[in-house]
Amino acid sequence: GIQVEQSPPDLILQEGANSTLRCNFSDSVNNLQWFHQNPWGQLINLFYIPSGTKQNGRLSATTVATERYSLLYISSSQTTDSGVYFCAVKGDRISGNTPLVFGKGTRLSVIA
Amino acid sequence: DGGITQSPKYLFRKEGQNVTLSCEQNLNHDAMYWYRQDPGQGLRLIYYSQIVNDFQKGDIAEGYSVSREKKESFPLTVTSAQKNPTAFYLCASSYGGAGGDNEQFFGPGTRLTVL
């Protein structure tokens, strides 16, 4: 099945710093999502981005489907950005509404 | 207010008991999913259902069972056969149909602890 690798596994930032999180996947995809898991465990949808670039406030994401990677950019980080960021993908050779495959996540800690 | 609800938020179980976790959605989504998350780990798929009265095993289905009698509901039963059931359980749903928007959304989760 499709493999998803995220890097770095852990990241510590000073408040106000910028960061880039990476997601590599092993096959072509028709669905890629970025999630933020907050300290209470809730998974928050950040981006649905199988290709192209999207921005939402201080966050933006880019997926280069032909090169099988996606990047999540966090600018001017805040302590509330702390948590785990997951990338999840669904391969386009899988028909129908089959489940996402998750990476192991990047644990981000933003220090005031 | 549309969304996915899970209950209970916290659940304690004695060894040897079966417990059922509830998941309900009012998003009119066709597909529903159950994931398990262990501390410091990613999400692993237990079961999923693409349509009412049909479901498929995920990567770690042993010791779990599900039913899908209604579109809105997808309960998960953790049986006594599950050797290490203490974990965080997350339910998700997405719109179905080939070529449709398959963005997946998650409920708030249930923390199960076996005493």
Side-chain angles (χ1 to χ4, degrees), chain B residues 25-43:
Chain B
Q25 54 94 5
N26 62 2
L27 300 168
N28 199 32
H29 284 171
D30 298 293
M32 298 185 74
Y33 315 84
W34 275 105
Y35 292 86
R36 169 183 172 139
Q37 186 179 31
D38 293 287
Q41 302 298 313
L43 278 68

Side-chain angles (χ1 to χ4, degrees), chain A residues 33 37 42 45 90 97 99, chain B residues 31 37 94-95 102-104 108:
Chain A
Q33 292 184 243
Q37 187 169 41
Q42 175 77 55
N45 288 43
K90 181 167 73 100
N97 207 15
Chain B
Q37 186 179 31
S94 64
Y95 180 71
N102 292 336
E103 186 173 3
Q104 200 163 304

Side-chain angles (χ1 to χ4, degrees), chain A residues 4 14 20 38 41 53 72:
Chain A
V4 182
Q14 200 73 33
T20 301
N38 65 23
T53 297
L72 177 68

Side-chain angles (χ1 to χ4, degrees), chain A residues 13-20 57-59 73-81 108 110:
Chain A
L13 295 177
Q14 200 73 33
E15 198 170 26
N18 302 330
S19 62
T20 301
R58 296 181 296 104
L59 273 60
Y73 305 96
I74 304 174
S75 64
S76 304
S77 58
Q78 300 175 359
T79 55
T80 52
D81 294 331
L108 174 65
V110 181

Side-chain angles (χ1 to χ4, degrees), chain A residues 4-13 17-24 32-39 41-47 56 58-61 70-88 101-110, chain B residues 37 40-43:
Chain A
V4 182
E5 291 186 4
Q6 292 187 243
S7 60
D10 296 280
L11 186 59
I12 300 175
L13 295 177
N18 302 330
S19 62
T20 301
L21 282 58
R22 187 176 180 101
C23 173
N24 292 334
L32 187 146
Q33 292 184 243
W34 282 98
F35 298 91
H36 174 217
Q37 187 169 41
N38 65 23
Q42 175 77 55
L43 275 170
I44 309 298
N45 288 43
L46 296 177
F47 293 102
N56 184 3
R58 296 181 296 104
L59 273 60
S60 64
S70 182
L71 301 174
L72 177 68
Y73 305 96
I74 304 174
S75 64
S76 304
S77 58
Q78 300 175 359
T79 55
T80 52
D81 294 331
S82 296
V84 183
Y85 290 80
F86 288 104
C87 169
V101 175
F102 280 77
K104 294 185 182 298
T106 292
R107 183 172 299 275
L108 174 65
S109 299
V110 181
Chain B
Q37 186 179 31
Q41 302 298 313
L43 278 68

Side-chain angles (χ1 to χ4, degrees), chain B residues 14-64:
Chain B
K14 292 182 180 179
E15 282 193 32
Q17 288 182 336
N18 293 352
V19 290
T20 297
L21 282 57
S22 170
C23 178
E24 305 275 335
Q25 54 94 5
N26 62 2
L27 300 168
N28 199 32
H29 284 171
D30 298 293
M32 298 185 74
Y33 315 84
W34 275 105
Y35 292 86
R36 169 183 172 139
Q37 186 179 31
D38 293 287
Q41 302 298 313
L43 278 68
R44 293 184 291 167
L45 183 67
I46 306 173
Y47 268 99
Y48 66 103
S49 167
Q50 300 193 43
I51 195 169
V52 173
N53 293 323
D54 187 46
F55 47 83
Q56 289 79 41
K57 293 182 179 180
D59 301 320
I60 55 166
E62 185 175 353
Y64 300 96

